Amino acid sequence: MSSTERLLANAEHYASTYPDQAPPGRPSSGVAIVACMDARIDVYRLFGLDPGQAHVIRNAGGLVTDDAIRSLAISQRFLGTEEIILVHHTSCGMQGLDDDEFAAQLERETGTRPPWRAGGFTDAAADVRASAAALRQSPYLARRDRLRGFVFDVETGRLDEVDL
Amino acid sequence: MSSTERLLANAEHYASTYPDQAPPGRPSSGVAIVACMDARIDVYRLFGLDPGQAHVIRNAGGLVTDDAIRSLAISQRFLGTEEIILVHHTSCGMQGLDDDEFAAQLERETGTRPPWRAGGFTDAAADVRASAAALRQSPYLARRDRLRGFVFDVETGRLDEVDL
């Protein structure tokens, strides 16, 4: 049995516990969370979220990329979110990753250079601030003022706030 | 108290329940999940995941964008994932969204046209197949063969598999 098949068996069970009254499509908290894809961060449990409460955008690093801006613009303009939480974390696989080296490696292997930078960084808090800056510079977001940023400590489960 | 403050109070509580033995950084299931940011989809509860088991990539629509490819490339090459699950869903805010109209609206409001397409679609299953095709075409992914795609029914909590 593959891992996917085990996960799908769990999903069968989940459906049997799903509420009769479906959760709302418009996030009831008005919050959108941008977090790293890291397996250790269960965003719903971390923030005590029920289905229907917040948008959750995740990618490698929790970076505010163009694609995260796209998602946030849709979140704000069509589904009314007004607050943003950024979550990066300690012991990230992207920490110390050299973007140029990775791009060169991919180019050697595949014959083409990727159209994106990997997004490696050295300091998690500085990386949160860089994401906050990218967000504040985007003209496509209606709300950029209610923004908080954190580094999740994967050893303790605590969020350390970053001064933005 | 803002919504963010309520979520942060929940996060304080979460830290007190965090396991002494931190979960692994390398996803133990070897699975990466690409899902829509929709608030109704709690990916961990849906698939019965514990922290440390799977990478979770999310954006508006659950699309396989360049940024999702970046995340998957890092997931596969540095953290060993080998299987991919795509999750789109019914009643998506992107269903029926006209990309050109949205881009024109943003251009009227901000004076610049966004560098991304919103990713509107008409049929959720066809959209999953389009994401699967984008993924299979990417040279940067080491593993593209163990791939399953689903439409999550927000009314019932069930996953309907899409023939890829």
Side-chain angles (χ1 to χ4, degrees), chain A:
Chain A
M1 198 182 198
S2 72
S3 288
T4 294
E5 276 156 6
R6 273 195 298 279
L7 269 50
L8 292 175
N10 293 342
E12 283 284 331
H13 173 72
Y14 178 77
S16 72
T17 70
Y18 200 71
D20 290 336
Q21 177 79 34
R26 196 178 174 87
S28 60
S29 73
V31 175
I33 298 161
V34 182
C36 183
M37 70 178 177
D38 191 275
R40 292 165 287 195
I41 310 173
D42 178 342
V43 172
Y44 282 69
R45 266 180 261 182
L46 169 58
F47 288 112
L49 292 169
D50 285 322
Q53 293 192 309
H55 279 151
V56 181
I57 298 156
R58 303 185 65 170
N59 62 34
L63 307 180
V64 175
T65 55
D66 275 352
D67 198 50
I69 295 282
R70 175 185 71 85
S71 298
L72 287 168
I74 289 165
S75 173
Q76 293 189 342
R77 290 171 181 272
F78 296 114
L79 293 153
T81 63
E82 300 191 318
E83 303 178 36
I84 299 171
I85 297 176
L86 304 177
V87 183
H88 297 208
H89 64 97
T90 60
S91 304
C92 188
M94 316 272 293
Q95 210 158 358
L97 176 64
D98 184 309
D99 288 357
D100 290 332
E101 206 171 276
F102 185 48
Q105 178 197 330
L106 289 175
E107 190 171 10
R108 277 194 305 276
E109 278 182 38
T110 68
T112 63
R113 204 169 175 91
W116 34 261
R117 291 183 70 77
F121 62 91
T122 51
D123 178 76
D127 200 50
V128 173
R129 280 191 288 269
S131 277
L135 201 153
R136 285 177 172 146
Q137 280 161 22
S138 174
Y140 309 114
L141 302 182
R143 295 296 301 262
R144 293 170 286 184
D145 52 330
R146 298 170 81 174
L147 169 66
R148 308 271 292 269
F150 301 87
V151 176
F152 177 77
D153 185 326
V154 298
E155 295 300 324
T156 65
R158 297 197 70 84
L159 287 174
D160 293 315
E161 185 150 17
V162 177
D163 194 1
L164 302 181

